[in-house]
């Protein structure tokens, strides 16, 4: 049953990566007023090759780690506890920080927010949260 769940999870992640790639191309070119410089078959093949290549790297590194370390888990209970505390803290910081930012913008008279600015803000948040999680794992 565990293997079936892993296959479903990987299939879901692959479909999300492919959908994100197509959505990115659509937003980049179609909404920008330009024509996509690639044919549909080139887009599909390049995104499939990139996704399969990324998964290949992941599986190779996973195999190499298992061969080097055996059945020793990558994280233990202490690391899980640190992750739990870190993500709980980050949840409240992002929630209250974003709320405060919106209130400040409202107070200074901003009526609209462009989607591009929101995308940059979310990318900034994801990068910071990811770096924090990486540092938490190394503790």
């Amino acid at each position: 049953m565990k293997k079936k769940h892993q296959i479903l999870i990987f299939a879901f992640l692959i479909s999300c990566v492919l959908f994100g790639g197509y959505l990115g191309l659509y937003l980049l070119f179609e909404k920008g007023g330009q024509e996509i410089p690639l044919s549909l078959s080139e887009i599909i093949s390049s995104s499939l090759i990139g996704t399969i290549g990324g998964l290949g790297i992941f599986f190779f590194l996973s195999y190499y780690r298992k061969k080097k370390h055996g059945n020793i888990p990558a994280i233990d209970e202490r690391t899980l506890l640190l992750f739990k505390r870190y993500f709980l803290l980050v949840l409240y910081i992002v929630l209250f920080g974003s709320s405060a930012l919106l209130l400040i913008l409202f107070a200074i008279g901003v009526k609209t927010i462009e989607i591009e600015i929101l995308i940059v803000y979310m990318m900034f948040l994801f990068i910071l949260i990811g770096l924090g999680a990486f540092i938490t794992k190394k503790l």
Side-chain angles (χ1 to χ4, degrees):
M1 191 61 137
K2 185 177 180 182
K3 193 71 167 175
K4 186 178 179 182
H5 287 285
Q6 285 180 340
I7 291 171
L8 286 174
I9 289 171
F10 280 121
F12 177 74
L13 288 176
I14 289 171
S15 62
C16 287
V17 168
L18 290 174
F19 178 74
Y22 299 140
L23 182 63
L25 282 173
Y26 174 74
L27 290 175
L28 184 65
F29 290 107
E30 295 294 328
K31 291 291 184 182
Q34 301 174 6
E35 187 174 315
I36 297 176
L38 303 170
S39 68
L40 186 62
S41 63
E42 289 173 329
I43 293 172
I44 291 172
S45 63
S46 62
S47 62
L48 281 175
I49 289 170
T51 304
I52 291 171
L55 280 173
I57 290 170
F58 170 76
F59 283 126
F60 174 73
L61 291 176
S62 175
Y63 173 76
Y64 177 72
R65 188 195 171 287
K66 186 166 184 155
K67 186 176 177 184
K68 184 177 179 184
H69 296 290
N71 287 334
I72 299 172
I75 57 175
D76 57 356
E77 293 85 12
R78 180 180 167 270
T79 308
L80 286 175
L81 182 66
L82 286 173
F83 272 142
K84 185 174 85 171
R85 289 180 182 167
Y86 168 72
F87 284 121
L88 186 64
L89 180 69
V90 165
L91 169 73
Y92 287 110
I93 289 174
V94 169
L95 182 68
F96 289 122
S98 297
S99 300
L101 182 64
L102 285 174
L103 287 173
I104 290 169
L105 288 173
F106 179 74
I108 62 174
V110 175
K111 298 293 181 196
T112 59
I113 301 173
E114 293 186 24
I115 298 295
E116 291 86 8
I117 300 299
L118 290 176
I119 292 171
V120 170
Y121 175 70
M122 291 301 295
M123 283 184 359
F124 179 70
L125 281 179
F126 284 136
I127 289 170
L128 280 180
I129 291 170
L131 285 174
F134 181 73
I135 291 169
T136 303
K137 184 177 180 185
K138 294 296 180 183
L139 291 179

